[in-house]
């Protein structure tokens, strides 16, 4: 379903939810849980460590996930603490059919947790459960059985964990230590000879690997630091580091800029699948420099330190919590313009100049890279 259609349909549900009575919270430990997180891939990567905590809290619990194709659900299919994955259909007709078919199944859940901050649709689905839980935001959440206020400042990964710990505490389950890494994403993945050969070429080098990610999802390209600045970084560090330029289908348009400057040999945009990128992040010694996007979250999930270049969103909210990671960002009165909890997810700069990224200099990012290199010697 297109994002604009989903938002329109979602607004229609607000009046329905107002009339739904809040359920009485039960203390019998849940055996069957449905989590809801509709989008996107980076958000899902941020969520899954908290879901692992939830899984560890109860004996013999089954956790299913209701999501959309935008979260790249195939990436999470091997995670052992996710049992079934429901995928939101792409058209209104198929959505209606899906709901008719699955309403009875949703009613079987002891607990449904809505991890979205502004979709009323996900809140409505949560009321099919015996108990529901989620965040209280200006747009939703006042009728959840179990809830916490959504904190727009706290890191997204940690606030997911806060909600999960509130639920675990309510049911008197086991609270375990939070760990942001997600090695489970690689369970069952077997690297090809080509992939192993690619990674092995860096194992004998005395240089650190610098993975540069100049992209973002295609509907959020205003979150990209200019490609010309990345090319300046490549020119500066090409003799000092082993450089890999990362990206997928959304970044294919950047390839010609790299080729024009003679960096095609470093260009791996579109060369590897998401699981293959995960394996690269896990098995090369180095660090990641890039924009606010899905690959940044994947790199962090495998323990790789990142240097995030953030504009529309705050790094403290959406960036890495690895203490070895760092950020390049500037203060600006209009930041952040990305406010999910208010339903404000723009796909272009309201000012028209993307000043929050344009004013980050190559020297600033270069200094952070040099600092990282110095700390590894």
């Amino acid at each position: 379903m297109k994002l604009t259609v989903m938002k329109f349909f979602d607004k229609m549900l607000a009046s329905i939810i107002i009339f739904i009575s809040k359920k009485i919270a039960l203390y019998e430990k849940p055996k069957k849980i449905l989590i809801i997180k509709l989008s996107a891939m980076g958000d899902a990567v941020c969520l899954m460590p908290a879901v692992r905590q939830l899984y560890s809290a109860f004996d013999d619990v089954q956790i299913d996930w209701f999501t959309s194709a935008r979260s790249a659900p195939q990436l999470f299919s091997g995670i052992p603490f996710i049992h079934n994955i429901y995928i939101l259909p792409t058209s209104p007709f198929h959505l209606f059919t899906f709901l008719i078919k699955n309403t009875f199944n949703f009613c079987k859940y002891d607990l449904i947790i809505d991890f979205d901050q502004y979709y009323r649709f996900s809140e409505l689905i949560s009321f099919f459960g015996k108990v529901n839980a989620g965040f209280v935001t200006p747009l939703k959440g006042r009728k959840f059985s179990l809830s916490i206020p959504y904190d727009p400042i706290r890191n997204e990964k940690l606030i997911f964990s806060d909600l999960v710990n509130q639920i675990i505490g309510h049911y008197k389950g086991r609270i375990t230590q939070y760990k942001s890494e997600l090695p489970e994403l690689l369970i069952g993945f077997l690297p090809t000879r080509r992939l192993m050969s690619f990674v092995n070429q860096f194992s004998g080098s005395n240089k650190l690997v610098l993975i540069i990610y100049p992209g973002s999802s295609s509907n959020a390209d205003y979150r990209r630091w200019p490609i010309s600045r990345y090319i300046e970084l490549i020119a500066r560090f090409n003799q000092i580091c082993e450089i890999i330029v990362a990206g997928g289908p959304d970044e294919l348009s950047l390839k010609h800029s790299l080729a024009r400057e003679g960096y095609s040999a470093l260009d791996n945009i579109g060369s590897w699948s998401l699981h293959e990128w995960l394996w690269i992040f896990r098995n090369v010694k180095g660090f990641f420099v890039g924009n606010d996007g899905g690959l940044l979250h994947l790199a962090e999930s495998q323990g790789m330190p990142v240097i995030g270049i953030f504009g529309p969103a705050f790094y403290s909210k959406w960036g890495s919590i690895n203490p070895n990671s760092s950020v390049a960002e500037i203060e600006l009165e209009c930041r952040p313009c990305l406010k999910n909890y208010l339903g404000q997810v723009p796909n272009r700069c309201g000012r028209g100049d993307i000043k929050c990224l344009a004013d980050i200099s190559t020297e600033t990012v270069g200094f952070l890279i040099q600092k990282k290199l110095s700390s590894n010697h």
Side-chain angles (χ1 to χ4, degrees), residues 40-43 45 75 185 211-217 244-251 268-281 287-308 310 318 320:
M41 184 186 75
D43 298 55
V45 174
L75 182 68
L185 287 172
I211 298 179
I212 288 179
Y213 173 53
S216 64
S217 62
I244 301 171
V245 182
D250 287 342
E251 288 80 36
N268 282 265
I269 293 174
S271 297
W272 307 106
S273 69
L274 291 175
H275 274 110
E276 287 171 329
W277 278 118
L278 282 166
W279 203 82
I280 292 169
F281 297 146
F287 56 102
F288 179 103
V289 178
N291 304 321
D292 175 15
L295 281 189
L296 180 141
H297 295 296
L298 292 185
E300 184 192 13
S301 78
Q302 300 309 302
M304 177 169 279
V306 308
I307 298 174
F310 273 60
W318 296 99
S320 172

Side-chain angles (χ1 to χ4, degrees), residues 24-37:
I24 298 173
L26 304 177
Y27 285 88
E28 183 178 347
K29 292 182 179 180
K31 293 294 184 181
K32 195 172 182 182
I33 300 173
L34 178 68
I35 62 169
I36 306 175
K37 186 63 183 170

Side-chain angles (χ1 to χ4, degrees), residues 30-156:
K31 293 294 184 181
K32 195 172 182 182
I33 300 173
L34 178 68
I35 62 169
I36 306 175
K37 186 63 183 170
L38 296 179
S39 63
M41 184 186 75
D43 298 55
V45 174
C46 292
L47 171 63
M48 288 302 159
V51 179
R52 181 175 54 212
Q53 283 186 297
L54 184 68
Y55 182 78
S56 300
F58 306 111
D59 296 322
D60 303 318
V61 69
Q62 174 184 317
I63 299 179
D64 297 336
W65 179 25
F66 183 27
T67 187
S68 71
R70 294 185 66 234
S71 69
Q74 71 281 1
L75 182 68
F76 304 89
S77 59
I79 288 183
F81 49 82
I82 297 293
H83 188 262
N84 294 315
I85 300 178
Y86 298 95
I87 301 176
L88 186 71
T90 57
S91 72
F93 172 77
H94 289 106
L95 173 61
F96 179 76
T97 304
F98 173 87
L99 291 176
I100 295 297
K101 179 180 177 182
N102 287 287
T103 296
F104 179 72
N105 290 332
F106 291 155
C107 291
K108 293 181 179 180
Y109 286 98
D110 301 310
L111 171 65
I112 298 182
I113 310 171
D114 177 12
F115 285 103
D116 279 315
Q117 295 98 39
Y118 70 94
Y119 285 132
R120 283 91 164 188
F121 175 72
S122 56
E123 183 178 7
L124 183 65
I125 294 296
S126 76
F127 280 92
F128 288 111
K130 297 174 184 176
V131 177
N132 64 356
F135 297 112
V136 178
T137 77
L139 297 179
K140 61 182 285 188
R142 291 173 179 80
K143 292 183 176 291
F144 286 131
S145 307
L146 301 169
S147 64
I148 63 170
Y150 182 76
D151 187 341
I153 304 298
R154 187 161 169 76
N155 186 276
E156 196 75 351

